Amino acid sequence: MNMDQLKRQAAARALEEVRDGMQLGLGTGSTAKHFVELLGERVAAGLKVIGVPTSETTRLDAERCGVKLTTLDEIDHLDLTVDGADEIDPEFNLIKGGGGALLREKIVAAASDRMIVIADDSKWVPTLGKFPLPVEVIPFGLGATRRAIETAFAECGVSGQMAVRKAKDGHVFVTDGGHWIVDAQLGSIVDPPALAKALSAIPGVVEHGLFIGLASSAVLAGGEGIRVIE
Ligand code: 5RP
């Protein structure tokens, strides 16, 4: 089974948690896209749900699949968010934002009663940090923001190269919120909650890809089948 089939399997398992009438957060990325497509099939068969997309890409996918959408201004909570991740550790700390949607993903996850992470099992790691940590920043004053990020890294016992993310066309990648992303190659993050707190305190940092205390379970698909970790 190839990676894409594994991702679809994880999405299909998470779909089993969806009930009629649920208000859902819809994640972003290739794994979350499988979930949206499978959800669309259930909707076509009569399931009644409403979703909040975490990116413009997911909004378009959900519309194409016939999933009814709303916003967090129109409803006051979500029952369940299903989203992918770039890394998941045994405490359910996550690195997210490989697809650049971390800000909306975190807002949606934080508004949800539960968050299920769906992934192929290569994303399950003992320690976060091999995947570059995305930090969403305001372009204004970026030099000062980068220096403050370096200080936060040093205080939290990590260091590494930082680079402003580029889009495929070579231009700076701009998020749905109009911000930039700095990707930091840290290798190993010894204390993810401490680093999350330090980054959140920096003016100029809009959000970062460390998701702490948000995920409630993980569905991991691998060669030996599906693992649900709670
Ligand atoms: C987007 C994300 C994605 O969930 C993450 O990058 C995983 O993507 P994929 O399912 O394509 O591996 O955080 O911002």
Side-chain angles (χ1 to χ4, degrees):
M1 203 174 284
N2 68 32
M3 196 68 94
D4 204 51
Q5 289 167 322
L6 292 176
K7 290 177 178 188
R8 199 165 180 93
Q9 272 201 345
R13 175 63 187 79
L15 191 61
E16 291 175 19
E17 301 298 314
V18 174
R19 302 278 175 271
D20 214 45
M22 274 190 168
Q23 304 185 147
L24 300 171
L26 305 175
T28 293
S30 55
T31 320
K33 184 175 178 174
H34 283 300
F35 178 80
V36 170
E37 287 173 356
L38 293 168
L39 182 66
E41 289 174 12
R42 291 276 309 278
V43 167
L47 181 77
K48 297 224 174 342
V49 292
I50 195 157
V52 174
T54 53
S55 63
E56 291 306 306
T57 303
T58 298
R59 186 173 63 76
L60 293 173
D61 286 339
E63 284 171 357
R64 177 175 53 80
C65 295
V67 178
K68 200 173 158 205
L69 298 177
T70 185
T71 69
L72 290 172
D73 302 309
E74 282 152 7
I75 58 171
D76 64 1
H77 84 288
L78 295 164
D79 300 296
L80 173 66
T81 286
V82 178
D83 200 350
D86 301 301
E87 286 186 344
I88 312 155
D89 79 7
E91 274 74 51
F92 289 139
N93 299 315
L94 314 175
I95 288 184
K96 284 187 52 57
L102 63 147
L103 175 58
R104 293 189 188 183
E105 288 173 335
K106 198 177 281 189
I107 292 169
V108 165
S112 296
D113 297 344
R114 290 166 65 206
M115 177 190 190
I116 300 178
V117 180
I118 51 174
D120 67 84
D121 65 3
S122 69
K123 307 286 184 74
W124 181 256
V125 296
T127 309
L128 300 182
K130 196 166 170 211
F131 191 92
L133 177 66
V135 183
E136 185 160 346
V137 294
I138 299 278
F140 176 84
L142 183 55
T145 303
R146 284 180 74 138
R147 287 189 289 278
I149 292 172
E150 270 165 15
T151 303
F153 286 166
E155 284 168 2
C156 295
V158 292
S159 64
Q161 296 284 318
M162 282 192 270
V164 174
R165 189 179 295 185
K166 297 277 176 58
K168 282 195 187 117
D169 62 7
H171 291 109
V172 174
F173 177 88
V174 180
T175 67
D176 283 344
H179 311 124
W180 293 2
I181 288 180
V182 173
D183 290 303
Q185 309 266 356
L186 300 176
S188 171
I189 300 173
V190 282
D191 188 344
L195 182 57
K197 197 170 168 197
L199 290 173
S200 294
I202 298 171
V205 169
V206 181
E207 196 46 86
H208 55 77
L210 286 170
F211 282 46
I212 310 295
L214 290 170
S216 35
S217 60
V219 179
L220 304 173
E224 279 155 30
I226 296 276
R227 261 194 307 161
V228 179
I229 305 174
E230 293 181 314

